[in-house]
Amino acid sequence: MANALLNSVVSWFLKKRLHDMELFMKHPQELQDNILQDLIYYARHTEVGRKHGFDSIKSYREFADRVPVSGYTEMEASIERSRKGEGNIFWPSDIKWFAMSSGTTNSRSKYIPVSQQSLEDCHYAAAKDLLCMYLNNNPDSKIFKGKGLRLGGSKQLDRKSGTAAGDLSSILIDNMPFWADYSSTPGNEVALMADWETKMPAIVQETIKEDVTSLAGVPSWMMVLLNNVLETTGKDHVLEVWPQMEVFFHGGVSFDPYVDQYKKLLPADHIKYYETYNASEGFFAIQDTNDSKELLLMLDYGIFYEFIPMKTYDTPEEKIIPLSEVELGQNYAIIITTNAGLWRYKIGDTVRFTSKSPYRIKVSGRTKHHINVFGEELIIENAEEALKKTIAEIPCFIKDYTVAPIFMEGKEKGAHEWMIEFGRQPDDISTFAKALDHHLQRVNSDYEAKRYNNITLTAPKINVANPDVFYNWLKQKDKLGGQHKIPRLSNSREYMDELLIIHRKGRLLK
């Protein structure tokens, strides 16, 4: 009876929401213009609104001319005032929650404002839309007959001055509607445990008793959890523990390096994989069809989008364009204006449009996580594609990796240095290195030009990391947990040099 009622409610919501999505797909520009005008009107009496004359802004061009593009540094002082309880600075309604950003390995946390509007109209709306799209594409789903295993961050909310700060996942769990909490596992007490090494076995012990039908989390950390589940239960694969499993909702890092390993953990053709693109600043895009690698840009979550072509990013010729002016196949940095008071805010991600009717994207990397020391313009998308092609030729499994430049010194030419932790190591690392170099040249013409006859770059150097090097590095930085990620590419050697120290210590202990 309960399942029948739930299915009836879901069916009603599904039809209504699909109609809404059809509207924003057909009229994207009108919807985005309306969202911008609504945000400006709502915030016209805030400190930011008065400063930039929101009362008299009538068009996107006036908005772009008056409001400067900003990053966290420019907003930090205002955010600190808001965290202490001061209101009406950048958003008129009270800001009660601040998401501690986990997308950076800097020791200083960023506190991203989360308003009631962004919580309900963006983050929770996206969670419902994700289920809506999945169920529309899989009408025979039995996902509600079991529970969803959620793997989020590991920070309890820090409450003071009437506000609370923590991982976005802890904010979402703390405010989760009862029906969502009822259908999720583990329970709040375990889900919000602070110590990751204590939390992991606690999650295993609680969830192996449940009938889990879906998974949600970052691929790298979910894999750690699933391997712990198999080790605890003595089973060969996850479907022996949870036979009704049908879908993994994932995001945070590229799924490509993990595909083969998940197919071993979940060895069944019916298992679906659905990608999401969300961050502390908002929920942006969702995979809306089965077996797709493209994400539908969600245009009605109270977020207004602008873009910077990466060819002009951080140059005197930098150009900022609205959604209506994007072109297919180009890399863009994202600028957002949101219903939490972020105004023309750089989130640090780059995307590439694959369709404009409707607008679909692929996440291509980070504005800071790339290597362009020698003019090679290597982005994460290039590295992931080259690794995928290399692994197809040379059987192995990669758990984690990072890349940094080897700077020119004297007559020595530059190079890229890789630190790779293998789950299964290739038989010959030099053959692997040559194949990786070959595929990097095939997917990036700038890299190929710099590698031609070793003119600027010599062959990449591969370090085979000792087991748990990346884990120990994150632990050393107090960044264990589901939302923390390894920086893949960097223009500096900061991360690489720290990892090399841990790597060499591990080697000496052998």
Side-chain angles (χ1 to χ4, degrees):
M1 186 71 176
N3 279 334
L5 178 61
L6 183 58
N7 285 334
S8 177
V9 172
V10 169
S11 177
W12 173 84
F13 179 81
L14 181 73
K15 291 175 183 177
K16 181 180 182 299
R17 184 53 185 146
L18 287 173
H19 174 70
D20 293 341
M21 284 191 276
E22 285 174 6
L23 286 177
F24 83 61
M25 289 185 202
K26 289 179 181 177
H27 307 286
Q29 314 309 333
E30 293 91 333
L31 179 62
Q32 279 284 281
D33 288 342
N34 288 339
I35 284 176
L36 178 60
Q37 289 301 325
D38 287 346
L39 293 172
I40 291 170
Y41 180 80
Y42 192 69
R44 67 194 186 284
H45 297 312
T46 63
E47 188 175 297
V48 169
R50 293 193 302 271
K51 178 180 179 181
H52 299 299
F54 281 10
D55 254 338
S56 60
I57 291 178
K58 304 300 181 186
S59 68
Y60 164 68
R61 186 44 54 197
E62 288 181 354
F63 172 73
D65 287 342
R66 294 189 197 180
V67 182
V69 171
S70 66
Y72 187 79
T73 301
E74 290 81 8
M75 281 200 69
E76 186 172 16
S78 295
I79 288 173
E80 283 304 305
R81 288 167 56 199
S82 183
R83 284 188 66 211
K84 292 175 182 176
E86 189 175 343
N88 210 39
I89 302 170
F90 43 79
W91 193 245
S93 62
D94 291 339
I95 303 289
K96 298 178 182 178
W97 306 284
F98 293 84
M100 296 176 68
S101 174
S102 303
T104 174
T105 52
N106 295 335
S107 57
R108 179 171 59 88
S109 292
K110 296 180 181 179
Y111 294 87
I112 306 300
V114 179
S115 68
Q116 186 67 42
Q117 290 92 333
S118 65
L119 195 68
E120 294 179 0
D121 299 339
C122 183
H123 293 290
Y124 285 143
K128 288 182 282 190
D129 280 351
L130 179 59
L131 285 172
C132 175
M133 293 175 189
Y134 175 73
L135 292 170
N136 184 57
N137 295 327
N138 303 279
D140 296 329
S141 168
K142 296 179 176 60
I143 193 171
F144 290 118
K145 287 192 173 181
K147 291 195 173 184
L149 195 164
R150 59 191 179 187
L151 185 60
S154 53
K155 277 190 172 64
Q156 292 276 1
L157 290 177
D158 177 23
R159 301 179 189 276
K160 59 182 178 182
S161 303
T163 65
D167 286 344
L168 176 65
S169 58
S170 64
I171 295 172
L172 297 179
I173 291 170
D174 194 55
N175 292 278
M176 190 173 287
F178 77 93
W179 59 266
D181 188 41
Y182 175 77
S183 61
S184 300
T185 188
N188 287 10
E189 184 178 348
V190 171
L192 294 173
M193 288 177 69
D195 182 64
W196 185 254
E197 292 180 309
T198 304
K199 176 179 179 175
M200 182 62 73
I203 293 176
V204 173
Q205 290 302 322
E206 183 169 335
T207 58
I208 59 176
K209 303 168 188 174
E210 301 282 3
D211 180 14
V212 174
T213 54
S214 67
L215 305 171
V218 176
S220 52
W221 289 105
M222 183 61 75
M223 185 175 294
V224 173
L225 172 63
L226 296 182
N227 282 320
N228 271 271
V229 166
L230 296 183
E231 185 177 339
T232 300
T233 60
K235 303 296 185 182
D236 292 326
H237 58 77
V238 174
L239 295 178
E240 291 181 340
V241 183
W242 299 310
Q244 306 305 315
M245 177 69 63
E246 59 178 84
V247 60
F248 176 26
F249 301 110
H250 62 87
V253 299
S254 170
F255 193 55
D256 285 348
Y258 301 97
V259 170
D260 291 341
Q261 193 67 8
Y262 270 93
K263 286 182 178 178
K264 293 177 182 176
L265 289 168
L266 299 162
D269 293 337
H270 74 271
I271 299 295
K272 301 291 189 297
Y273 298 92
Y274 266 61
E275 184 176 356
T276 64
Y277 173 30
N278 61 308
S280 299
E281 295 86 351
F283 208 119
F284 310 122
I286 300 172
Q287 178 184 328
D288 63 320
T289 59
N290 289 338
D291 305 318
S292 174
K293 291 192 175 182
E294 300 176 352
L295 307 179
L296 180 67
L297 189 64
M298 305 304 291
L299 301 178
D300 62 350
Y301 288 170
I303 299 174
F304 178 77
Y305 291 98
E306 297 174 87
F307 302 89
I308 304 176
M310 284 305 291
K311 290 180 180 178
T312 69
Y313 185 84
D314 208 20
T315 71
E317 292 77 37
E318 184 171 277
K319 181 182 179 183
I320 302 170
I321 61 175
L323 180 65
S324 59
E325 296 180 20
V326 299
E327 298 177 2
L328 299 182
Q330 302 295 316
N331 273 324
Y332 295 99
I334 304 180
I335 307 295
I336 58 172
T337 293
T338 78
N339 50 7
L342 299 177
W343 298 97
R344 306 195 82 198
Y345 184 88
K346 292 182 180 180
I347 61 174
D349 290 337
T350 63
V351 299
R352 181 166 49 83
F353 283 85
T354 59
S355 167
K356 294 203 290 183
S357 183
Y359 285 99
R360 287 196 173 95
I361 61 172
K362 286 186 177 181
V363 181
S364 55
R366 297 277 296 170
T367 55
K368 292 184 178 180
H369 292 180
H370 66 284
I371 301 182
N372 193 28
V373 174
F374 312 103
E376 66 273 48
E377 295 190 34
L378 187 72
I379 62 174
I380 293 174
E381 191 178 39
N382 300 152
E384 301 282 7
E385 181 66 19
L387 283 171
K388 182 179 178 181
K389 291 178 181 295
T390 303
I391 291 169
E393 289 180 11
I394 301 172
C396 62
F397 166 61
I398 294 175
K399 293 176 66 177
D400 264 315
Y401 74 90
T402 193
V403 193
I406 299 175
F407 294 102
M408 295 179 178
E409 189 173 340
K411 295 182 179 180
E412 295 295 321
K413 295 179 180 178
H416 288 174
E417 183 169 10
W418 292 64
M419 175 76 75
I420 303 177
E421 183 174 346
F422 291 97
R424 178 160 64 98
Q425 193 171 322
D427 293 336
D428 183 68
I429 199 66
S430 62
T431 302
F432 175 90
K434 289 176 183 177
L436 177 59
D437 185 35
H438 168 78
H439 290 300
L440 284 168
Q441 293 185 51
R442 296 285 76 80
V443 300
N444 185 312
S445 58
D446 291 311
Y447 178 85
E448 181 182 31
K450 303 303 180 292
R451 282 285 295 118
Y452 180 72
N453 287 338
N454 294 325
I455 190 168
T456 303
L457 288 172
T458 58
K461 177 181 179 181
I462 308 291
N463 295 297
V464 178
N466 291 315
D468 296 328
V469 159
F470 289 98
Y471 182 91
N472 289 330
W473 181 69
L474 288 170
K475 182 178 179 180
Q476 183 175 288
K477 291 180 169 290
D478 192 27
K479 289 189 176 292
L480 292 178
Q483 290 183 302
H484 297 289
K485 302 178 285 287
I486 302 298
R488 297 305 192 196
L489 309 177
S490 176
N491 267 332
S492 81
R493 289 192 56 83
E494 176 188 357
Y495 311 134
M496 180 63 72
D497 288 341
E498 291 174 352
L499 285 160
L500 283 169
I501 291 171
I502 297 172
H503 170 70
R504 288 162 184 158
K505 284 182 179 178
R507 196 164 54 190
L508 289 172
L509 291 173
K510 285 186 174 180

